[in-house]
Each structure stands twice: as structure tokens, then as C-alpha cells.
Amino acid sequence: MAYDAGAEGSLDDLALARELAAAAGERLAELRAGWEGDEADLRKAGDAAAQELLAARLTAARPDDAVLSEEAKDDPVRLGADRVWIVDPLDGTREFGEGRHDWAVHVALWERSAGAAGDLTVGAVALPGRGLVLGSDGAQRVPEAAEGSPIRIAVSRTRPPAVAVAVAEALGAELVPMGSAGYKVTAVVRGEVDAYVHGGGQYEWDSAAPVAVARAAGVHTSRLDGSPLIYNRPDPLLPDLVIARAELAQPLLAAIAAASAT
């Protein structure tokens, strides 16, 4: 369907987030399908194309809102704004360039009115490699865990954190390497794994939209120490998180605390 700025501007926030994530994902998939050049150049082109699309369409649809994006210079005006879109135009640039399926597009909305410190109110994650767009509408139902199977913990395919390795040893869990952060968070929501444990090296745009989707699905989300994930901070570094099926949250947090104490 052709882009219609007027129609898109009339959408509610969740529908807009889903629309933009899907559109950026389609643009990226088209770009990769027609690419004949170097992989490194494809990664750069993908970041730029998705950022351009999201920036232009957010400006048209929500001109009064602020934006925090991985691919744009941080504007401190967002710290005084009531509504801030937190986006990652291409989460998993490496996987996108390698032709893998585990990359994503993130679009989330933070609102000051949502709690004492503000909070995420909307999120959408496009998984073009799976043909899916997940939203924070609560419609996603986490499948039942397979009885008797080991706990499956998603980790970085290039840098599995020591804390996840220690937790897996303590709980007899299986580590499942995957690509982008958004893919790993939504893998918990979709039942592909049971948890995702990460320590170090992430920013707000890496987790905002996936966390909004996970929360709406009843999935546990927190920092490694169990404290809440807080967004739209002056420093967008948000380096660690735990995403888990609700019934696994306390055993995981206890194992993380034990591993951190040694």
C-alpha cells in the first residue's frame, strides 16, 4: 500500500508504531534483496535507509514529539519532552549484512505521564526474517514451556556474557546464541527460548520496543539486579537486562545474584 502521510498521522500510537516498524522492515528487506555490493556497505546503507524512513514519517505523523534514535545525534530536548519515540532503525546490523533472519526494527513510545519517572507506553518490533510485527497490544500469548526440557537462555552469538554462562551452569540451562537484542527478547515472547540474559553494552534503543512488547505479553523484564528498566534518561546507556517467562524470573534473578557475588 502506498504511503499516505495524512492517513498515517491519524493512526493511534500503537498502530503508528506497528506501521512504521513494518515499513522500515520492508524497506530493509528490499534493499538487501537487490544488493550487489560489499557487505559492509550494505550495513551502512541499511542503517541510513531505515533511519531516513522512520525520521521522515515520525516527523510527518507526530511533529510535536521528540525522538531518540541510534542513528541520529541525541537531542537533549527529549529530556523535557512529554512524548519521546525511542527507535532502533536496524537492530542487528551484522546479521542483516550476513543475510541472516535474526535482525529487527524497533519503534517505541515513552510518555512522561506514565508513572513517576515516565515509562514506555507503546512498542512494536518488526522481524522481517520471520514475516512478523509484534506489538504491545497484549495479543501475543507466550506458549507453554515444554515439560521436562532444559531452560533455554538466549545470548549474544558473538559475545555471550559471563553472567549468562554462570547462570546456565547453575540451573542446568542451555545457551542459545542469537543475533539482535530485539530478536532475542521477542524469542522469549514467541516461545523460541525461555529467557534472555545480557550484561554490558546496550542502549535504550536496543531494548525499549522489545521490552514494551514483552511486558504486554506478561513476560518479566528487569535489570540484572532486579531493578526496573528506566527509559529516556540523560545517558541512554542501559547495559544489562533479564527477560524471562514469569515463572522463571525469581530463579534466574537468584542465580544471577549468586554469580555476581562470586
Side-chain angles (χ1 to χ4, degrees):
M1 185 170 64
Y3 169 54
D4 182 336
E8 203 160 81
S10 66
L11 297 174
D12 65 34
D13 291 327
L14 178 55
L16 176 63
R18 293 181 67 102
E19 180 73 15
L20 295 185
E26 290 172 7
R27 176 72 185 94
L28 286 162
E30 291 169 355
L31 178 67
R32 192 170 74 173
W35 193 261
E36 297 180 350
D38 181 77
E39 181 182 313
D41 291 337
L42 171 60
R43 294 197 296 265
K44 294 177 183 176
D47 283 331
Q51 167 63 23
E52 180 181 18
L53 183 149
L54 291 178
R57 290 169 68 160
L58 274 173
T59 297
R62 300 291 191 270
D64 296 329
D65 293 354
V67 179
L68 171 63
S69 170
E70 180 180 17
E71 301 300 331
K73 183 178 180 181
D74 188 7
D75 185 344
V77 73
R78 69 178 171 83
L79 299 175
D82 290 331
R83 291 164 49 92
V84 181
W85 293 88
I86 302 176
V87 304
D88 190 344
L90 174 51
D91 178 59
T93 305
R94 177 196 296 263
E95 285 73 25
F96 171 77
E98 292 176 352
R100 293 171 57 93
H101 67 275
D102 45 353
W103 54 278
V105 177
H106 302 172
V107 180
L109 176 63
W110 174 95
E111 293 189 80
R112 187 175 304 282
S113 60
D119 207 350
L120 304 172
T121 54
V122 157
V125 178
L127 304 174
R130 293 292 191 201
L132 296 172
V133 180
L134 282 67
S136 57
D137 53 10
Q140 188 74 31
R141 310 289 295 184
V142 180
E144 295 289 333
E147 188 173 352
S149 299
I151 298 169
R152 301 159 299 173
I153 302 177
V155 293
S156 168
R157 57 185 281 260
T158 56
R159 302 180 304 276
V163 64
V165 174
V167 167
E169 290 176 351
L171 299 180
E174 172 188 355
L175 295 179
V176 184
M178 294 181 177
S180 81
Y183 189 93
K184 289 193 280 284
V185 174
T186 55
V188 180
V189 176
R190 295 181 294 107
E192 188 173 342
V193 294
D194 303 298
Y196 169 33
V197 176
H198 181 82
Q202 287 191 352
Y203 292 84
E204 292 184 14
W205 46 74
D206 291 307
S207 65
V211 161
V213 171
R215 287 176 178 173
V219 171
H220 169 85
T221 69
S222 74
R223 301 284 303 273
L224 286 178
D225 63 2
S227 62
L229 294 154
I230 299 175
Y231 294 88
N232 197 32
R233 305 291 295 272
D235 181 353
L237 180 67
L238 190 52
D240 58 79
L241 54 74
V242 179
I243 310 294
R245 305 173 67 93
E247 69 273 18
L248 294 178
Q250 290 309 312
L252 276 170
L253 291 172
I256 291 167
S260 301
T262 58

